[in-house]
Amino acid sequence: MVSSILCRCFLLSITVNSAGGFMEYMVNRCVFNSTDPKDIRYIYSDFNNKKEIVRFDSSLGKYVGYTELGVKTAEKWNNDLSELARMRALKEAYCLPNVDIDYQSALSKS
């Protein structure tokens, strides 16, 4: 029965930059259990040398810092209303077009 199947799916993209021995990478992901927009979360994470420094989560609607640099960065980006609007819009632009396709694909293979 299709309604009894629970799918926790991810869409993921990673960007990697390396310079001077330091590695920085950004991860964009969509976490969802259904195609209902309320069940979809867009998460952007910024890492430096394997440590997550700052994250945007669409369920919070703001950035959260995890290191000293990340806290300062999150504060700066949270005070920029155009940056917050841009990140909040990415849930619809990045996740919604692909979630239905991936969700149906996962159900058809179950």
Side-chain angles (χ1 to χ4, degrees):
M1 181 177 219
V2 173
S3 63
S4 67
I5 298 172
L6 180 63
C7 174
R8 184 159 184 99
C9 302
F10 297 94
L11 293 173
L12 181 68
S13 74
I14 300 173
T15 305
V16 178
N17 298 314
S18 180
F22 293 98
M23 181 174 290
E24 178 185 14
Y25 56 99
M26 290 72 73
V27 178
N28 294 285
R29 61 188 168 182
C30 303
V31 180
F32 55 96
N33 289 324
S34 75
T35 58
D36 184 355
K38 290 182 238 167
D39 292 335
I40 300 169
R41 288 174 52 205
Y42 168 74
I43 302 169
Y44 164 86
S45 297
D46 196 343
F47 293 84
N48 192 325
N49 289 337
K50 299 181 185 179
K51 292 182 183 175
E52 185 174 22
I53 59 171
V54 68
R55 173 187 294 182
F56 176 87
D57 188 328
S58 66
S59 65
L60 295 174
K62 66 177 188 172
Y63 287 93
V64 176
Y66 296 105
T67 65
E68 184 179 343
L69 174 62
V71 169
K72 290 177 185 178
T73 303
E75 183 179 330
K76 177 183 171 190
W77 289 344
N78 286 332
N79 288 326
D80 183 347
L81 297 180
S82 64
E83 173 65 14
L84 287 179
R86 184 182 73 83
M87 292 303 288
R88 290 174 181 150
L90 281 173
K91 175 180 173 180
E92 291 181 22
Y94 182 74
C95 296
L96 294 182
N98 297 302
V99 164
D100 189 47
I101 295 166
D102 288 353
Y103 190 75
Q104 294 304 324
S105 175
L107 289 178
S108 68
K109 294 178 180 173
S110 302

